[in-house]
Amino acid sequence: KGTDLGDWIKQVAQADTKKLLDGVRTLQQKELLTASDQLVSLIEQIEIILEADNEKDRTELIDNFKIQANNCLFNAQTAFNAVGPDVVEEQIRSVQVAVSVLISTECCHKSSSLKKSLRKKIEQEVVKLLKLDRIQ
């Protein structure tokens, strides 16, 4: 809270929440619906983490956030594979959710090696998107 990164995350969370909620209404696939619901919850938690009064509380919130982010990422990746190639829109949405989750976890990664790993995971998701027939 009060930092450039914290303010940016708050702005992104507020701007994207409406878009995410609109997109969630069009989803049909169970894992993707679950991942989308989890993503909205994660975005709402960012402000709570930024406003935590002490380091112990913030650490506990971040640890819980990481677990929930991993669950959401798993559901988004499962959804990508579960919908099959005939439902490209849902594959695109699952990659969108996965990348959004990964970006939201950036605040939890302090070391350069963790940030490099995060960039690699985002790259892998984008490559999946670019390999879709509709995108090529």
Side-chain angles (χ1 to χ4, degrees):
K1 185 176 179 180
T3 66
D4 290 344
L5 180 59
D7 292 342
W8 177 78
I9 289 172
K10 187 175 181 179
Q11 289 173 352
V12 168
Q14 290 172 345
D16 285 343
T17 300
K18 183 181 179 336
K19 291 178 193 172
L20 288 170
L21 292 174
D22 290 343
V24 167
R25 290 187 193 99
T26 65
L27 303 177
Q28 302 296 320
Q29 216 272 333
K30 182 181 79 168
E31 288 88 354
L32 193 48
L33 280 169
T34 301
S36 297
D37 289 343
Q38 289 170 320
L39 178 59
V40 171
S41 175
L42 284 172
I43 290 172
E44 291 170 349
Q45 289 179 46
I46 292 172
E47 187 173 350
I48 296 168
I49 292 169
L50 294 173
E51 293 177 353
D53 290 336
N54 61 58
E55 195 60 33
K56 182 182 177 204
D57 289 346
R58 187 181 340 273
T59 300
E60 187 176 317
L61 288 167
I62 287 174
D63 289 344
N64 185 46
F65 180 86
K66 288 178 185 178
I67 291 167
Q68 291 182 25
N70 283 331
N71 290 337
C72 182
L73 183 59
F74 174 80
N75 283 324
Q77 291 170 334
T78 301
F80 180 88
N81 295 314
V83 296
D86 297 334
V87 192
V88 175
E89 290 81 14
E90 290 199 2
Q91 286 181 314
I92 292 169
R93 179 80 62 198
S94 67
V95 170
Q96 180 185 22
V97 170
V99 169
S100 297
V101 169
L102 290 167
I103 290 170
S104 74
T105 64
E106 194 277 335
C107 62
C108 303
H109 299 2
K110 293 187 170 130
S111 74
S112 60
S113 61
L114 286 174
K115 288 183 187 244
K116 185 176 181 179
S117 172
L118 176 64
R119 284 191 298 271
K120 190 67 176 169
K121 289 177 184 177
I122 292 171
E123 180 183 312
Q124 290 169 346
E125 291 298 324
V126 172
V127 166
K128 285 190 331 191
L129 183 69
L130 295 175
K131 287 183 178 180
L132 295 175
D133 289 337
R134 182 173 172 181
I135 305 299
Q136 295 178 353

